[in-house]
């Protein structure tokens, strides 16, 4: 693994039936970098995300995280222990849990589970520590006023932040954001941008998928552009957005 | 008031009513209802919290009842020990059966669990040497602690409500821990649960087995209390009744399933003229509940509280 990288994606290929959803994509994310993955609908961005998070299995290729750990050898529920967490494009908050509990779910694997502990209430100290961390992260993202509400009682923009809070509470080294700006209005998008920069200031690497080109150019250090399963460009936002192939992919001939 | 406090109060109320109620018929009826409460509380963990359906829980009740009776009758094992051992065996059985079964979802899971219940029912009917077939099994010794024998309805009534309390306590401990949080996440957003470190399949299997343990223990107590069991007490209709009770009582409400189970399992004995039509009553109740309180009684109470 090259020095300074936290994640290396090497030659990933994935087909569904006869369709090549991802065709030999490689790129890497550096430590403390905000990397964006963009591309038109059907470019394979979400498929790649699902491969990274272990939901799909790649046909070939590998993903290396930190000290030579190949992600494909881990079950999906173990990834969070390595220091990778994610948010979802279509909000995945649990409606019957308060925001507080939803964020606490992000620390599930930090609690050492044991049925005996649960029955005799011995896990309470750990639970308290979890909620202290939940308080901290919600203050950091300025959503503490919503903690006791349920997901259907809060605005959409806040739900996005709660998703991020849940991913952040376990203090990961790499966070994957799946279209964080989708469906947000201008003010909410601005708030999100600020939050992303503040996360970055905490030395957390970020890989995000995004549709909104303006949003991406204003927040990322490096951009990868995909089109119909292939990587067609990579580089600084200003370079990539002037690339002829990128313009073609977005605008047509 | 918090749900656990309300539930403990209600259980306490039932317990003390045991000193006031004189009629052994009513005591008997509510004791049986209390045993049903234990089954439904267990099922609620699976159905209400983890969102996995089981149409075979009567099978686990049967396993608890038959295994404990056989241990006590044929092998002279102490009744308490045989109830405990049979519950543990049922737990292990559910663990083994649940491992492949709970990879299924929705209707497929419902069908598979229904089959498990039916298979156990068929075994109970046909292993005549062990179970007595459709004529049933009798001759279980009475439960006793030292010289204190549970030889009348009142003694058992008081005892069984203590057991209900213990199981309610266990349920609340589970649902109010990180384990309960994970179960709810599995129910609603399985993908999110998986991404945040919940071993979804393992959790499903564990909660399935735990609810089988609840059922088996209730089954064991049932067998020793009545001193007679036959397969007809554990048929498919019973499994469906458990699901109806859990559903009408309220998905994810232990308090709701407590009330509704006592009412629904007692009513057929009071409204005897409706006995032959009881499945119709049950079915209509399910429809009404689904239409007007889709989250069951528990959800209804919570909703009312939010308004006022």
């Amino acid at each position: 693994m090259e020095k300074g990288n936290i994640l290396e994606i090497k030659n990933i290929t994935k087909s569904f039936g006869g369709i090549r959803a991802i065709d030999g994509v490689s790129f890497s994310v550096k430590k403390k970098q905000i990397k964006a993955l963009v591309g038109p609908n059907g470019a394979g961005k979400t498929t790649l995300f699902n491969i990274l998070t272990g939901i799909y299995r790649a046909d070939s290729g590998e993903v290396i995280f930190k000290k030579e750990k190949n992600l494909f050898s881990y079950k999906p529920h173990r990834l969070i222990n390595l220091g990778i967490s994610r948010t979802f494009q279509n909000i995945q908050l649990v409606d019957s849990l308060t925001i507080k509990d939803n964020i606490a779910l992000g620390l599930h694997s930090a609690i050492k589970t044991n049925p005996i502990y649960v029955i005799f209430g011995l896990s309470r100290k750990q639970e308290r520590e979890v909620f202290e961390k939940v308080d901290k992260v919600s203050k950091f993202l300025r959503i503490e006023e919503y903690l006791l509400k349920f997901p259907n009682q809060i605005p959409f923009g806040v739900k996005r932040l709660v998703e991020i809070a849940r991913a952040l509470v376990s203090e990961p080294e790499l966070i994957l954001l799946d279209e964080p700006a989708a469906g947000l209005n201008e003010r909410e998008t601005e708030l999100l941008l600020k939050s992303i920069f503040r996360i970055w200031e905490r030395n957390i690497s970020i890989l995000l998928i995004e549709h909104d080109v303006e949003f991406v150019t204003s927040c990322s250090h490096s951009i990868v552009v995909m089109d119909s399963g292939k990587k067609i460009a990579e580089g600084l936002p200003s370079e990539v957005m002037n690339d002829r192939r990128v313009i073609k992919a977005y605008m047509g001939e | 008031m918090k749900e656990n406090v309300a539930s403990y109060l209600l259980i306490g109320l039932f317990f003390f009513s045991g000193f006031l109620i004189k009629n052994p018929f009513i005591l008997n009826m509510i004791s049986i209802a209390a045993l049903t409460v234990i089954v439904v509380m267990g099922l609620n963990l699976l159905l209400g919290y983890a969102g996995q359906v089981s149409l075979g829980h009567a099978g686990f009740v049967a396993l608890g009842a038959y295994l404990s009776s056989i241990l006590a009758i044929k092998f002279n094992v102490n009744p308490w020990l045989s109830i405990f051992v049979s519950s543990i065996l049922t737990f292990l059985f559910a663990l083994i059966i649940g491992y492949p079964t709970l990879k299924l979802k929705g209707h497929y899971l419902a069908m598979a669990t229904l089959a498990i219940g039916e298979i156990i029912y068929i075994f109970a009917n046909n292993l005549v040497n062990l179970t007595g077939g459709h004529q049933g099994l009798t001759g279980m010794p009475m439960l006793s602690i030292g010289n204190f024998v549970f030889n009348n309805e009142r003694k058992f009534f008081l005892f069984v409500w203590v057991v209900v309390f213990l199981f309610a306590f266990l349920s609340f401990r589970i649902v109010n821990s990180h384990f309960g949080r994970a179960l709810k996440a599995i129910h609603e957003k399985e993908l999110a649960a998986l991404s945040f470190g919940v071993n979804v399949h393992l959790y499903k299997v564990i909660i399935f087995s735990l609810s089988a343990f609840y059922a088996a223990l209730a089954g064991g107590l049932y067998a020793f209390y009545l001193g007679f069991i036959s397969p007809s007490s554990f048929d498919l209709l019973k499994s469906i009744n458990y699901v109806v009770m859990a559903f009408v009582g309220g998905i994810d409400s232990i308090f709701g399933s407590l009330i509704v189970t006592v009412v629904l399992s007692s009513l057929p004995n009071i409204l005897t003229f409706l006995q032959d039509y009881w499945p119709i009553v049950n079915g209509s109740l399910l429809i009404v509940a689904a239409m007007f309180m889709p989250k069951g009684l528990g959800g209804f109470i919570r909703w009312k509280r939010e308004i006022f």
Side-chain angles (χ1 to χ4, degrees), chain A residues 50 53 55 76-78 80-81 84-88 91-97 101-102 104-109 111-114 118-124 127 130-131 150 153 163 166-167, chain B residues 4 48-49 91 99 166 169-203 206 210 252 295 302 306:
Chain A
N50 283 335
T53 49
I55 291 158
H77 70 270
R78 313 290 302 174
I80 188 137
N81 298 338
I84 303 180
S85 71
R86 69 170 296 186
T87 67
F88 296 89
I91 308 273
Q92 297 277 324
L93 297 178
V94 182
D95 292 325
S96 60
L97 291 177
D101 280 317
N102 264 297
L105 183 67
L107 274 173
H108 180 82
S109 57
I111 301 179
K112 297 285 161 279
T113 320
N114 177 342
V118 172
I119 293 166
F120 293 104
L122 295 175
S123 53
R124 281 197 184 148
E127 287 269 303
V130 165
F131 286 118
F150 286 91
Q153 298 167 327
E163 278 255 327
R166 186 171 63 178
Chain B
N4 53 355
Y49 285 85
F91 176 85
Y99 190 82
L166 291 177
F169 184 76
L170 181 62
S171 287
F172 278 116
R173 267 285 156 82
I174 290 168
V175 302
N176 290 331
S177 71
H178 63 288
F179 197 78
R181 201 156 56 218
L183 291 179
K184 281 189 170 177
I186 291 172
H187 186 172
E188 286 183 39
K189 304 279 150 72
E190 201 172 307
L191 203 58
L194 195 68
S195 298
F196 291 104
V198 181
N199 189 342
V200 171
H201 182 59
L202 181 72
Y203 273 48
I206 287 179
L210 189 68
D252 86 10
K295 294 208 157 171
R302 239 171 264 159
E306 257 169 50

Side-chain angles (χ1 to χ4, degrees), chain B residues 22-164:
Chain B
K22 297 255 158 30
N23 188 339
F25 169 76
I26 294 176
L27 284 171
N28 176 55
M29 181 178 83
I30 300 179
S31 294
I32 300 290
L35 290 172
T36 314
V37 167
I38 297 172
V39 182
V40 175
M41 267 196 305
L43 183 63
N44 205 1
L45 288 178
L46 180 73
L47 181 71
Y49 285 85
Q52 309 300 310
V53 73
S54 166
L55 287 176
H57 255 53
F60 296 127
V61 182
L63 266 183
Y66 275 102
L67 286 176
S68 59
S69 306
I70 291 167
L71 279 175
I73 297 168
K74 314 244 157 158
F75 300 95
N76 277 323
V77 180
N78 172 291
W80 298 110
L81 188 64
S82 61
I83 292 174
F84 185 69
V85 168
S86 64
S87 307
I88 297 286
L89 286 176
T90 308
F91 176 85
L92 295 175
F93 173 75
L95 217 54
I96 294 164
I97 286 280
Y99 190 82
T101 310
L102 284 152
K103 289 191 171 161
L104 302 171
K105 288 192 166 97
H107 300 79
Y108 300 100
L109 179 64
M111 286 298 117
T113 49
L114 186 144
I116 293 169
E118 281 305 282
I119 289 167
I120 295 169
Y121 176 76
I122 290 167
F123 270 112
N125 246 325
N126 292 302
L127 285 177
V128 182
N129 288 335
L130 271 178
T131 64
H134 67 271
Q135 289 185 328
L137 196 59
T138 185
M140 290 72 115
M142 268 187 195
L143 290 170
S144 61
I145 302 170
N147 288 326
F148 185 83
V149 185
F150 290 97
N151 54 2
N152 70 24
E153 283 83 3
R154 174 164 296 127
K155 286 176 186 169
F156 187 79
F157 180 97
L158 296 175
F159 167 70
V160 78
W161 280 103
V162 172
V163 179
V164 171

Side-chain angles (χ1 to χ4, degrees), chain A:
Chain A
M1 180 174 227
E2 229 175 278
K3 220 181 161 200
N5 284 351
I6 188 160
L7 187 79
E8 282 182 2
I9 293 164
K10 292 180 181 166
N11 237 333
I12 296 286
T13 306
K14 173 80 187 171
S15 304
F16 295 105
I19 298 163
R20 278 233 152 155
I22 299 180
D23 194 359
V25 170
S26 310
F27 65 89
S28 55
V29 181
K30 288 197 168 59
K31 271 181 196 143
K32 219 196 163 191
Q33 184 183 42
I34 303 179
K35 187 117 190 177
L37 184 57
V38 299
N41 271 333
K45 307 180 301 270
T46 304
T47 310
L48 187 62
F49 237 52
N50 283 335
I51 287 172
L52 289 181
T53 49
I55 291 158
Y56 293 154
R57 216 161 253 285
D59 299 336
S60 66
E62 55 179 3
V63 180
I64 311 273
F65 178 67
K66 279 199 316 192
K67 300 159 199 139
E68 307 288 328
K69 280 178 186 157
N70 188 354
L71 287 192
F72 294 158
S73 55
Y74 290 85
K75 291 200 166 145
H77 70 270
R78 313 290 302 174
L79 289 182
I80 188 137
N81 298 338
L82 300 180
I84 303 180
S85 71
R86 69 170 296 186
T87 67
F88 296 89
Q89 178 187 351
N90 35 357
I91 308 273
Q92 297 277 324
L93 297 178
V94 182
D95 292 325
S96 60
L97 291 177
T98 57
I99 299 305
K100 196 173 165 174
D101 280 317
N102 264 297
I103 299 174
L105 183 67
L107 274 173
H108 180 82
S109 57
I111 301 179
K112 297 285 161 279
T113 320
N114 177 342
I116 309 292
Y117 269 45
V118 172
I119 293 166
F120 293 104
L122 295 175
S123 53
R124 281 197 184 148
K125 191 168 157 266
Q126 294 185 39
E127 287 269 303
R128 257 201 309 278
E129 288 165 8
V130 165
F131 286 118
E132 273 165 24
K133 283 187 182 167
V134 170
D135 280 341
K136 238 161 76 188
V137 79
S138 54
K139 281 208 184 85
F140 176 72
L141 290 171
R142 306 197 176 116
I143 49 172
E144 67 265 38
E145 59 180 301
Y146 301 105
L147 277 185
L148 295 177
K149 293 202 154 58
F150 286 91
N152 58 10
Q153 298 167 327
I154 63 172
F156 187 75
V158 180
K159 284 188 192 174
R160 283 261 183 245
L161 290 176
V162 173
E163 278 255 327
I164 294 175
R166 186 171 63 178
L168 212 54
V169 72
S170 57
E171 297 168 8
E173 291 176 61
L174 173 68
I175 180 167
L176 310 172
L177 304 176
D178 194 350
E179 301 217 13
L184 298 188
N185 64 30
E186 235 169 84
R187 208 181 58 83
E188 289 169 334
T189 309
E190 208 172 295
L191 205 68
L192 178 73
L193 265 178
K194 276 184 193 154
S195 307
I196 288 179
F197 281 124
R198 292 179 58 231
I199 293 166
W200 169 71
E201 279 167 6
R202 288 185 141 194
N203 290 326
I204 295 171
S205 318
I206 299 172
L207 173 61
L208 58 89
I209 296 186
E210 194 48 71
H211 238 58
D212 185 343
V213 174
E214 200 182 326
F215 178 85
V216 164
T217 45
S218 58
C219 78
S220 48
H221 303 130
S222 168
I223 294 181
V224 172
V225 187
M226 282 178 72
D227 186 30
S228 30
K230 290 196 175 76
K231 180 172 99 173
I232 57 169
E234 181 173 8
L236 294 172
S238 52
E239 293 168 9
V240 167
M241 285 308 150
N242 292 320
D243 192 298
R244 277 191 42 224
R245 280 187 302 174
V246 176
I247 296 169
K248 197 176 116 190
Y250 265 92
M251 306 295 188
E253 296 285 341

